[in-house]
Amino acid sequence: MEMNGVPRLENGHAGTGSRKTNTSQTGGNQVSFEKLLQESAREGLNFSKHAAKRMNERGIAVDSQLMSNLEHAVEGARKKGARDVAVIGAQGVFIVNVPNNTVVTTMSQSDMRERVFTNIDSAVLM
């Protein structure tokens, strides 16, 4: 499945109606927000339209290995309490909003020279 022109590794994302909540364990009450957030985090990264456009312009190819590495890096940042992280790897830099599980922009290695990153609270090296 593709999202914004970027292939996704896992099916489904918030709002598709594919998420099933089990209310029998909570006595008929709704599932907690924290549990829904954790389930959403496991669905894989989304790419904003801006990020997808930048990836196409800059020739950044996303394969299953890169997606796996990105998801692992974001999960590590999430465990440390990061909100906006710069994931830096051989393919470039991916700025990710951790709570929304969304890549908001990307930069290739050649675009990184003399660049300043603002509005991030963490960085992860891949």
Side-chain angles (χ1 to χ4, degrees):
M1 170 185 274
E2 288 189 9
M3 179 162 188
N4 299 332
V6 178
R8 289 183 48 127
L9 294 178
E10 298 178 27
N11 291 329
H13 54 81
T16 63
S18 64
R19 176 181 293 125
K20 296 179 183 178
T21 56
N22 185 351
T23 57
S24 64
Q25 293 177 343
T26 59
N29 295 331
Q30 291 185 347
V31 176
S32 72
F33 175 74
E34 181 179 356
K35 185 172 181 176
L36 288 174
L37 186 61
Q38 289 172 349
E39 287 176 8
S40 176
R42 281 179 266 195
E43 291 181 355
L45 290 174
N46 296 310
F47 289 80
S48 69
K49 289 181 183 179
H50 176 78
K53 180 180 176 185
R54 293 292 178 252
M55 289 174 64
N56 288 334
E57 288 174 356
R58 295 170 175 160
I60 301 171
V62 177
D63 59 14
S64 60
Q65 182 65 42
L66 176 57
M67 281 299 294
S68 177
N69 291 344
L70 281 171
E71 289 171 350
H72 182 72
V74 171
E75 187 56 34
R78 182 185 324 281
K79 289 178 182 176
K80 296 286 188 174
R83 295 188 48 77
D84 293 293
V85 63
V87 180
I88 304 167
Q91 297 85 354
V93 176
F94 299 83
I95 306 298
V96 182
N97 179 272
V98 176
N100 293 331
N101 223 31
T102 302
V103 177
V104 294
T105 194
T106 63
M107 210 177 284
S108 67
Q109 284 286 348
S110 62
D111 293 327
M112 288 193 308
R113 287 179 171 64
E114 298 181 33
R115 297 292 181 154
V116 176
F117 299 103
T118 60
N119 298 326
I120 64 168
D121 60 22
S122 304
V124 177
L125 301 175
M126 282 195 301

